[in-house]
Amino acid sequence: MDSRTNPSLKKTLRDPRVWALCGMFFLIAGVSLNDVMIYSPDSARYLVWANALSRFEGFVDHTDADPVRYIVHAPLYSVLLAPVAFFAPGNLIAAKAFTVFLGVFLLIMFFHWLSKRVSPGVAFLGGLVLALNPLVILYSTQILSEIPFAIVLVGLVLMLNRFDTGAKQHPSQVAFLLVLLVAAMFVREIGITMVLATVIFLAARRNLRLVIWTLVVPLLFYAAWFVRNEIIVAGVELPPLRNSEVFTTHYFTSQQSSLVSEFFARMQTSLPVYLKSIGSLMFIPQYGTVPYGVVITTDPPYSLIDPLASVLVFLVASLSL
């Protein structure tokens, strides 16, 4: 493809449309900044760990009577926040502003990805949908890891497009792919699914060498963290909730039941809720049926969109085909 149908990132950055999107998003997110944490204790934990890292104390929580080193969430977001905490320790607005800048970066990457497939005008409209999405604005103005995870996701899609051409890949591209996969797991635990999806993608193209790399390297990093967190630290601190026990704990069945029965019980309970709510995800924060405290359900725009969500989802789905 030539540069008109496959623009470089440098050309994307020179496009005024992408900066119009970023400016609009930055203005909306900027006026939304406040000192409210809508999802606690997750946001507070990220900030506490970032403060400890900025003081070169490692992953530790000093807010309890005894220091706690067990990490219940994926750790990378706190590492990203650490430089901000170094200059503004414990400052909610500074940490939120950093996440807003990550949201701007997400818009640039998303526009760049779209511009490789559609015209710049259509890419602008697609970027507008993302920039004005209530959840994107909400998560970009909170101390949460959803926006960094979305950046890794888009970056991985862009990188895998390079591996889909059949051309021989430079070692630096392979290294960057591995960095993205490791980052996916350490920004959010669900990132392991991105590793598995990448393995399937490369296996379908019979690239056995890369399949091995994309399996072994991320798993080695995960194993090292597992030893630190689940064996060494948890073995000493004995935390009441351990990530490694989430999959084996019986929440819906008796202890004598099999794990298969437990998983089926979880699916029977959760799946109807997700299927009912997922259609509203594009239009209303937190599915509409379970709004955050900052969302007023009696607000006129909310009241207007809420009854239309079940219809709009089919319209959006049909247009995306």
Side-chain angles (χ1 to χ4, degrees), residues 47-65:
L47 194 57
V48 166
W49 294 328
N51 288 335
L53 289 169
S54 71
R55 297 191 297 266
F56 304 100
E57 298 174 349
F59 285 98
V60 60
D61 182 354
H62 288 293
T63 60
D64 208 344

Side-chain angles (χ1 to χ4, degrees), residues 36-272:
V36 175
M37 290 188 292
I38 63 171
Y39 204 82
S40 184
D42 293 26
S43 296
R45 285 172 177 159
Y46 286 128
L47 194 57
V48 166
W49 294 328
N51 288 335
L53 289 169
S54 71
R55 297 191 297 266
F56 304 100
E57 298 174 349
F59 285 98
V60 60
D61 182 354
H62 288 293
T63 60
D64 208 344
D66 297 313
V68 178
R69 296 188 179 276
Y70 182 78
I71 305 300
V72 73
H73 302 307
L76 186 54
Y77 180 53
S78 292
V79 176
L80 298 176
L81 281 174
V84 180
F86 181 82
F87 293 102
N91 191 304
L92 290 177
I93 300 300
K96 288 185 173 187
F98 172 74
T99 312
V100 170
F101 280 106
L102 291 181
V104 171
F105 186 55
L106 171 63
L107 279 176
I108 294 173
M109 291 185 62
F110 186 70
F111 182 90
H112 179 59
W113 174 66
L114 282 180
S115 63
K116 289 176 174 290
R117 286 154 182 76
V118 295
S119 67
V122 176
F124 175 78
L125 292 177
L128 195 63
V129 171
L130 182 67
L132 299 181
N133 184 285
L135 275 179
V136 174
I137 297 171
L138 188 65
Y139 284 131
S140 295
T141 55
Q142 294 296 319
I143 308 173
L144 294 169
S145 60
E146 276 78 2
I147 297 302
F149 185 75
I151 290 174
V152 174
L153 175 61
V154 176
L156 185 59
V157 171
L158 284 167
M159 182 55 61
L160 287 178
N161 287 337
R162 296 173 178 264
F163 287 78
D164 200 25
T165 61
K168 185 177 180 179
Q169 301 302 320
H170 192 275
S172 63
Q173 294 177 324
V174 176
F176 189 59
L177 174 65
L178 296 175
V179 168
L180 286 172
L181 292 174
V182 172
M185 294 191 306
F186 282 88
V187 172
R188 292 184 68 82
E189 292 86 350
I190 195 64
I192 187 65
T193 60
M194 295 169 66
V195 176
L196 298 177
T198 301
V199 168
I200 295 172
F201 174 86
L202 295 173
R205 283 147 185 80
R206 300 181 180 180
N207 196 331
L208 181 60
R209 182 179 66 88
L210 273 180
V211 167
I212 295 174
W213 277 108
T214 53
L215 265 177
V216 172
V217 173
L219 288 180
L220 283 176
F221 276 88
Y222 184 81
W225 177 255
F226 184 88
V227 170
R228 181 267 179 203
N229 206 45
E230 299 292 336
I231 297 179
I232 298 176
V233 176
V236 174
E237 296 183 350
L238 301 176
L241 176 64
R242 296 171 61 169
N243 292 332
S244 58
E245 296 177 349
V246 171
F247 295 102
T248 59
T249 301
H250 289 262
Y251 295 105
F252 296 93
T253 59
S254 64
Q255 294 296 327
Q256 292 72 32
S257 302
S258 66
L259 284 178
V260 174
S261 300
E262 170 66 19
F263 290 149
F264 271 107
R266 294 184 190 185
M267 291 174 59
Q268 290 174 351
T269 303
S270 302
L271 198 58

